[in-house]
Each structure stands twice: as C-alpha cells, then as structure tokens.
Amino acid sequence: MAKQDNNHTTAPKPKRLLVTPKKMKYTLGASLLIVIILYVLSVFQTTAYPNRVIEGFPIIYNFVIEDLWPPNWSYFPRVAMSLLETWNMALFSTTFAAIIALPMSFLAASNLNRNVYFYQFIRNFLNLLRTIPEIILAVLFVALVGIGAVSGILALSVFSVGILAKLISETVEAIDPGPVEAIKASGGNIFQVISFAVMPQILPQYASYALYVLEINVKASVVLGFVGAGGIGLILNQQLSLFNYDNVSTIIIVLFLTITIIDLISNRLRGRLE
C-alpha cells in the first residue's frame, strides 16, 4: 500500500483587510470627543441646559394656540402689498447682481485673468462683500438713502454680487480649456474668448445660480425689513411691536406659503437647467 505524501504545505491564510484603518479610527474618535466637549462647554457657557429648553415648550405651545391663532385674514390685503414689495426687492437686487457679477467673475477666474495681483485683489474684494452680513449693509444703506425698499435693494445687490461672482468664477475655472485655446490660437481677443468659448459653457450654471440667489434674497428681504429696509419684514416688525399677534399669524402663514412656492418653482427650473 503506497504511503501518503505528508509533505504538502498548507496555504497561508489571507490577510484580513481593515475597512477603516486604525489611524483613521483614532482620528475620528478624537474628533468626535472634541466636538462633544465643545458642545458641553457651549451648554455651560450659554446656560442652555436641556431642562430649560423642555420647560419652554409649554410657553411656545400656549403662545401659538392662544396668541397666534386664529389669524386675522382681513389683514391679508395689507400683507399682499408688502409681499409684492418684498418680491420686487429680491427680483431687482438679483437682476442687478447678475449683471454686475458676470464681468467680475471673469476677473476672478485664474484661467482668464493672468495678472496674479489683480486676480488676488478681485478675490479678496469678493470675500469682503460676502463677509459683511446683509443686515449690516441694510443698516448702512438705510442711514444713507433712508427707510424703504431702495435701501433693501442696494444691500441685497451688494451681498448678492459677492455670492454670484464667487460661484460663477469657480464655474469659469472648471470649463473645458480646448475652445479657449483654439480661439486664442486663431488670434481671438479676450472678448471673443468669453463670447464664444466661455459663455456657452457656463450659461446653464449662470442661470441656475441666479435663481438660487433669488431664493436667498426673498428670504433675506424679510429680515432686512426689521431694520427699515422695506418689504414684509417692516410690517412684521410693526405688528410684533404692537402685540397684534393675529396679524403676525397672517403674515407668517402667507410668507411660509409664498417661500414654499418660490422654492418649488426655483428647484424645478434649476433642475432642468442643470
């Protein structure tokens, strides 16, 4: 009877691969611990203890049921007029910003503006525009041109230019360089490059960003009314000061429905453009 060969070698076990490396686990764990510690410190610093929040729920409930309800629908015509002013503020400011931001976005794009110092100056200027809150701009323009929608339009226009120019410039920097190089190689100037190589590539994103800024401006114009910049926020502040909570309820409901409709329409349009 033949002897069996016992000299065969066993195959090595496959090395177990870790889905998440140990170093990353420690990093994530340490980051999570730091975040938790910061939250705990924030609670103690602001005295926003959970029991205080829970105790405030009945107050909120009573305020909504007893003060805000029912709304005064006879106040709706006044709300509608202010809402129209709010819409006009957002529309005008977005239009002005879209016109001004387009040439600025070309200057803020590194593939079009080759002057490093001028490019950096434009980028820093746009950063400054985005840094200043729109409500601070509204206060400045109210002091400059007085209470009303004009100050709100100016404040939103300045703030929107910073946002739009930033978004569009990043889109310009991400375009296909082929058409740009082809036009330059054939002797085209910068205006021909922008007209025939850049604009056709960024138009959908440009329109989409303009609609997105319009959404932001509709919501921001409500807040600006609290500092006298016109719109529905102005009458909201007035009615709150007079403790006319039934009128306040009407304003809130109408404003909620309007913003919801604008968001739905804008999202549909931006979805088709993209």
Side-chain angles (χ1 to χ4, degrees):
M1 186 175 180
K3 293 183 179 180
Q4 294 182 353
D5 187 9
N6 294 324
N7 294 328
H8 65 281
T9 58
T10 58
K13 293 182 179 180
K15 188 177 180 180
R16 183 171 173 265
L17 296 177
L18 297 176
V19 177
T20 306
K22 286 186 177 181
K23 186 177 180 180
M24 183 177 290
K25 286 183 179 180
Y26 294 142
T27 303
L28 291 175
S31 302
L32 183 60
L33 181 61
I34 292 172
V35 170
I36 293 173
I37 292 173
L38 289 175
Y39 269 112
V40 173
L41 291 176
S42 300
V43 167
F44 282 101
Q45 181 68 27
T46 59
T47 66
Y49 303 114
N51 62 320
R52 292 186 61 189
V53 177
I54 295 172
E55 290 171 0
F57 284 149
I59 300 174
I60 297 173
Y61 176 81
N62 292 332
F63 175 70
V64 172
I65 298 301
E66 297 176 4
D67 296 327
L68 291 181
W69 195 262
N72 179 19
W73 292 112
S74 62
Y75 192 64
F76 176 77
R78 179 71 180 89
V79 176
M81 292 302 296
S82 295
L83 189 62
L84 181 61
E85 185 180 44
T86 296
W87 167 255
N88 289 334
M89 287 170 55
L91 184 61
F92 277 114
S93 59
T94 304
T95 303
F96 294 150
I99 295 171
I100 298 170
L102 191 59
M104 292 192 68
S105 65
F106 298 142
L107 296 175
S110 58
N111 55 342
L112 295 182
N113 186 359
R114 298 295 184 179
N115 188 316
V116 178
Y117 299 105
F118 188 39
Y119 163 78
Q120 199 59 49
F121 170 77
I122 296 295
R123 299 290 289 194
N124 291 334
F125 177 69
L126 295 177
N127 290 338
L128 176 64
L129 293 184
R130 292 194 309 276
T131 301
I132 305 173
E134 61 268 29
I135 195 166
I136 301 299
L137 292 170
V139 170
L140 294 176
F141 282 115
V142 164
L144 185 65
V145 301
I147 293 175
V150 175
S151 56
I153 292 172
L154 293 174
L156 289 175
S157 297
V158 172
F159 184 73
S160 300
V161 165
I163 298 176
L164 266 177
K166 166 72 172 178
L167 294 173
I168 300 168
S169 65
E170 291 178 350
T171 303
V172 172
E173 289 179 338
I175 63 173
D176 180 10
V180 176
E181 294 171 358
I183 293 177
K184 285 183 177 179
S186 61
N189 56 35
I190 186 63
F191 298 104
Q192 292 171 327
V193 168
I194 292 172
S195 300
F196 300 107
V198 178
M199 286 302 296
Q201 296 190 62
I202 69 167
L203 269 178
Q205 289 83 2
Y206 173 61
S208 176
Y209 290 146
L211 287 171
Y212 174 67
V213 170
L214 178 61
E215 285 182 46
I216 295 175
N217 286 341
V218 171
K219 300 167 186 175
S221 59
V222 178
V223 180
L224 298 189
F226 278 78
V227 294
I232 199 170
L234 186 61
I235 65 168
L236 179 59
N237 188 32
Q238 291 173 351
Q239 297 305 311
L240 282 171
S241 302
L242 296 172
F243 303 102
N244 294 331
Y245 294 126
D246 52 349
N247 293 343
V248 170
S249 179
T250 304
I251 296 171
I252 292 173
I253 293 172
V254 172
L255 191 58
F256 171 75
L257 293 175
T258 303
I259 291 178
T260 302
I261 293 171
I262 291 173
D263 283 349
L264 289 174
I265 295 174
S266 180
N267 288 335
R268 290 282 182 89
L269 290 175
R270 285 192 285 114
R272 291 186 179 183
L273 287 171
E274 295 174 356

